[in-house]
């Protein structure tokens, strides 16, 4: 069920989204769900749909960017925009423009190397840059630190927390757990991914694959006596859509 300003609405009331589009699919799931999805305005709901769409687009773009996989001790970044911290994270350089720094990762990916959780944050920043535009993005995110779930901006803290939801949607951050990981390769203990819809997921280091392909990759990196397969956790991490929508006005 979808309600806007306390009134029930149907998918067609929200906008003219083509059949088969990401937005139409999300609205259809919401409308059929027993969960009540409530919004203060149509603009808030449309913002949420657009941010989800841009998150999927940013995932595909980052997958093509040349961004390399590396554990934190081997991470790398473009020193023109970022300072590499002692723990392997990236901190926006003093005087660097946030929008240009984030865009550089997508356009100059081969100059960067990091692990999968940090890549998820890059995806969300890239999506928000496309939604807000440079001026608003620079205003909302004047200081950026990139390193897994540490030092998260307050509007993005929810991305770092896996919580159960009645429904899952494209643009969600999901997690594949590998409980019997080989201790010699702890980086394979799991895979952070973005749900792309159509049963596909983007994970940095494994690329774009269906769930079965990601599970197969993780299972190849289990301990010798492993007896439990990797699996997709029942939960998702999400940004603070409501606050981010309010900032867009």
């Amino acid at each position: 069920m979808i309600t806007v300003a306390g009134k029930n609405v149907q998918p067609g009331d929200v906008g003219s989204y083509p059949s088969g589009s990401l937005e139409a699919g999300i609205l259809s799931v919401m409308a059929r769900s027993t969960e009540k999805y409530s919004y203060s305005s149509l603009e808030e709901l449309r913002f949420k749909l657009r941010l989800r769409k841009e998150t999927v687009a940013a995932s595909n773009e980052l997958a093509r960017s040349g961004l390399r996989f590396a554990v934190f001790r081997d991470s790398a970044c473009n020193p023109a925009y970022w300072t590499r911290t002692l723990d392997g994270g990236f901190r926006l350089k003093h005087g660097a423009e946030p929008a240009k720094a984030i865009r550089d990762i997508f356009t100059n990916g081969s100059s960067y190397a990091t692990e999968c959780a940090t890549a998820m944050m890059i995806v969300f920043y890239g999506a928000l840059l496309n939604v807000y535009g440079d001026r608003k993005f620079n205003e909302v995110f004047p200081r950026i630190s990139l390193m897994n779930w540490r030092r998260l901006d307050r509007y993005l803290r929810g991305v770092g927390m896996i919580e159960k939801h009645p429904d899952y949607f494209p643009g969600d951050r999901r997690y594949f757990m590998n409980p019997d990981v080989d201790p010699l390769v702890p980086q394979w203990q799991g895979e952070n991914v973005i749900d792309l819809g159509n049963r596909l997921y983007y994970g940095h280091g494994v690329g774009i694959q269906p769930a079965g392909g990601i599970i197969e990759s993780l299972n190849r990196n289990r301990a010798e006596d492993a007896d439990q397969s990797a699996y997709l956790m029942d939960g998702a991490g999400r940004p603070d859509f409501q606050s981010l929508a309010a900032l867009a006005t």
Side-chain angles (χ1 to χ4, degrees), residues 62-148:
L62 195 63
R64 299 189 298 265
S65 70
L67 176 68
R68 294 172 287 125
F69 183 89
V71 295
F72 286 121
R73 67 176 177 272
D74 298 322
S75 68
C77 58
N78 184 351
Y81 296 101
W82 303 93
T83 297
R84 184 182 181 277
T85 59
L86 293 176
D87 52 11
F90 309 149
R91 185 175 65 247
L92 185 68
K93 207 164 188 177
H94 180 70
E97 184 180 317
K100 288 183 179 179
I102 289 295
R103 190 174 290 113
D104 186 67
I105 303 174
F106 288 87
T107 60
N108 189 26
S110 61
S111 295
Y112 296 83
T114 189
E115 47 65 78
C116 63
T118 304
M120 299 296 98
M121 299 313 304
I122 295 169
V123 164
F124 281 103
Y125 278 118
L128 284 161
L129 175 56
N130 288 338
V131 171
Y132 282 154
D134 289 26
R135 183 189 63 79
K136 175 61 72 171
F137 184 86
N138 291 339
E139 177 186 318
V140 176
F141 302 108
R143 292 176 293 278
I144 299 176
S145 290
L146 297 170
M147 184 182 175
N148 57 35

Side-chain angles (χ1 to χ4, degrees), residues 3-5 14 17 30 37-52 240-249:
T3 68
V4 176
V14 180
Y17 298 110
M30 287 180 173
Y37 291 95
S38 299
Y39 303 91
S40 61
S41 66
L42 283 173
E43 288 71 24
E44 181 188 336
L45 174 51
R46 289 168 184 153
F47 175 91
K48 184 173 185 177
L49 293 171
R50 185 179 176 197
L51 182 52
R52 286 191 174 280
D240 185 348
F241 285 106
Q242 186 175 15
S243 295
L244 290 167
L247 290 167
T249 58

Side-chain angles (χ1 to χ4, degrees), residues 69 116 176-182 185-193 201-223 226 228-232:
F69 183 89
C116 63
F176 286 85
M177 175 70 76
N178 189 10
D180 285 342
V181 64
D182 183 339
V185 285
Q187 63 268 32
W188 286 97
Q189 64 188 298
E191 183 71 28
N192 290 282
V193 300
Y201 302 88
Y202 163 65
H204 179 47
V206 298
I208 296 174
Q209 296 194 59
I214 295 173
I215 289 171
E216 183 178 339
S217 295
L218 292 171
N219 282 346
R220 287 198 295 267
N221 291 277
R222 291 184 295 169
Q228 186 174 353
S229 172
Y231 63 93
L232 176 62

